[in-house]
Amino acid sequence: MGICDSTMRLNTFLLAMAVLLYGAESTVKSRAYFNETGDLPCHFINSQNISVDNLVAFWQDQDKRVLYELYGGKENQKNVHPAYKGRTSLDLDNWTLRLHNVQIKDTGLYQCFIHHKGPHGLVSTHQKSCDLSVFANFSQPEIIPISNRTEDSNNMNFTCLSTHGYPAPKEMYFLLKTKNSTTKYDTVMNIHQNNITGLYTASISLSLPVSPETNASIFCVLQPEPTQTQLVSEPHNIETTEMEGEESEQAKKRVENRVPGRSDEAQCVVNISKTASGQSFPRSQFKGSYSLQSRAWPWYSGSIIKGRQPTSPNGRDLTKYSLPLALLQN
């Protein structure tokens, strides 16, 4: 009794293993990329040289919807589901169905069935399953600085974004590289899936403390599926406070050495408009037509003073000096 039970259990185990092995071998793995063409192979070998006219073949998805049907050597679209019409083509050389314009929702299990016409109807000849996986390449990660350092804080805020990928990425992180070290910053990854395309957008954010004397570059790294290539952003260089201070000092010197502006011109006019006795002429006393002659000193010619000629404290005639048009028109 014990020996019989052991033998039965062993036979059951071997049968189960045979079924599993057969199932694994009978399913073909196939990969396709979003908006491109995917292959659904049937692996049919026509060893009996049956005429295509005597074969009936069709492919169906996991919901039993027909993608393609071959009947009497010709394509028969009568039973094809609307979701697949115009999207398939059959390569009879290797019995592979091409599925065009692959979408994320096309991911899943497909089956092909081949029958031949016998004297009493159709006879099953071949069957194969195909598991289709769909991928979409994420865009190169892009670092977006949210705000720069302030005088009160050495923190710098960053967001990294990568779009239009599938499936969802496994990991996303920042790398801070200095002259002597590389530091990895793991943060919470935010993932959003588009309801129409099924594609994913991934993003992470980081508030990074950076000392004033730091010279560094920060990178963003996205790891999709293990079979897909790791993506790295362009480096974002972090400038030191010391460098920023030098730039500010240089900007200040440029301002101090600039060409006089309108306020300087107005002061010059007031000085010129005084007589030897110190009397200032009201601007309403000036009239005439004027033209712009210089960018650095925008004086205007043709100034005429009612009934008198202005002179400077040293007695020079000032009528030959040009005055700003803005003052003469008031």
Side-chain angles (χ1 to χ4, degrees), residues 64-84:
K64 309 301 181 183
R65 299 180 301 179
V66 176
L67 288 74
Y68 183 93
E69 181 179 343
L70 180 72
Y71 188 88
K74 297 180 181 179
E75 179 182 358
N76 179 24
Q77 294 192 2
K78 182 178 179 180
N79 298 320
V80 175
H81 191 274
Y84 297 108

Side-chain angles (χ1 to χ4, degrees), residues 4 57 61 76-77 89 91 93 105 113 116 128 133 172 195 199 202 220 239 280 282-283 285 288 301 310 321-322 325:
C4 292
D61 62 16
N76 179 24
Q77 294 192 2
S89 59
D91 183 354
D93 290 337
K105 59 185 178 182
F113 301 89
H116 70 270
K128 180 64 71 174
S133 298
M172 196 175 192
N195 293 330
L199 300 177
C220 179
E239 298 179 352
S280 298
R283 283 178 287 181
Q285 288 184 308
S301 62
Y321 290 94
S322 301
L325 178 61

Side-chain angles (χ1 to χ4, degrees), residues 2-204:
I3 297 176
C4 292
D5 290 342
S6 299
T7 303
M8 291 179 62
R9 285 196 297 268
L10 179 60
N11 290 337
T12 303
F13 173 77
L14 293 175
L15 178 61
M17 289 298 296
V19 171
L20 289 175
L21 290 174
Y22 175 78
E25 291 177 355
S26 63
T27 301
V28 179
K29 299 290 185 180
S30 182
R31 294 165 57 97
Y33 282 89
F34 182 74
N35 279 343
E36 297 185 11
T37 298
D39 291 346
L40 303 176
C42 195
H43 289 182
F44 172 58
I45 299 176
N46 190 3
S47 58
Q48 301 179 28
N49 293 323
I50 303 173
S51 172
V52 176
D53 294 338
N54 294 323
L55 291 176
V56 176
F58 66 93
W59 278 254
Q60 67 180 23
D61 62 16
Q62 55 197 4
D63 296 322
K64 309 301 181 183
R65 299 180 301 179
V66 176
L67 288 74
Y68 183 93
E69 181 179 343
L70 180 72
Y71 188 88
K74 297 180 181 179
E75 179 182 358
N76 179 24
Q77 294 192 2
K78 182 178 179 180
N79 298 320
V80 175
H81 191 274
Y84 297 108
K85 284 189 175 181
R87 295 182 58 203
T88 59
S89 59
L90 179 62
D91 183 354
L92 282 174
D93 290 337
N94 54 17
W95 287 91
T96 296
L97 185 69
R98 316 285 188 198
L99 178 60
H100 307 293
N101 191 27
V102 171
Q103 301 297 299
I104 301 301
K105 59 185 178 182
D106 292 326
T107 300
L109 189 67
Y110 296 84
Q111 291 178 305
C112 76
F113 301 89
I114 297 179
H115 299 76
H116 70 270
K117 297 177 182 179
H120 303 290
L122 295 178
V123 178
S124 178
T125 304
H126 181 76
Q127 177 180 337
K128 180 64 71 174
S129 297
C130 178
D131 189 10
L132 178 66
S133 298
V134 180
F135 296 86
N137 292 324
F138 279 90
S139 64
Q140 182 181 20
E142 180 182 3
I143 296 178
I144 305 171
I146 300 176
S147 61
N148 294 324
R149 271 180 304 195
T150 63
E151 295 180 358
D152 300 330
S153 174
N154 285 329
N155 284 353
M156 299 187 72
N157 302 315
F158 300 95
T159 289
C160 180
L161 186 70
S162 183
T163 62
H164 302 116
Y166 189 89
K170 294 299 182 182
E171 188 180 18
M172 196 175 192
Y173 55 89
F174 285 105
L175 282 181
L176 180 67
K177 292 188 176 183
T178 63
K179 183 177 180 181
N180 301 317
S181 66
T182 298
T183 306
K184 179 181 177 181
Y185 291 88
D186 290 311
T187 62
V188 177
M189 180 169 55
N190 298 309
I191 301 177
H192 170 74
Q193 187 174 26
N194 187 289
N195 293 330
I196 298 175
T197 64
L199 300 177
Y200 286 102
T201 294
S203 65
I204 55 174

Side-chain angles (χ1 to χ4, degrees), residues 141 171-175 219-223 230-233:
E171 188 180 18
M172 196 175 192
Y173 55 89
F174 285 105
L175 282 181
F219 297 82
C220 179
V221 181
L222 178 75
Q223 178 59 64
Q230 189 180 72
L231 300 175
V232 182
S233 70

Side-chain angles (χ1 to χ4, degrees), residues 308-324:
R308 60 201 312 180
Q309 293 183 344
T311 58
S312 66
N314 58 12
R316 296 174 62 186
D317 186 0
L318 297 181
T319 56
K320 64 181 180 180
Y321 290 94
S322 301
L323 301 177

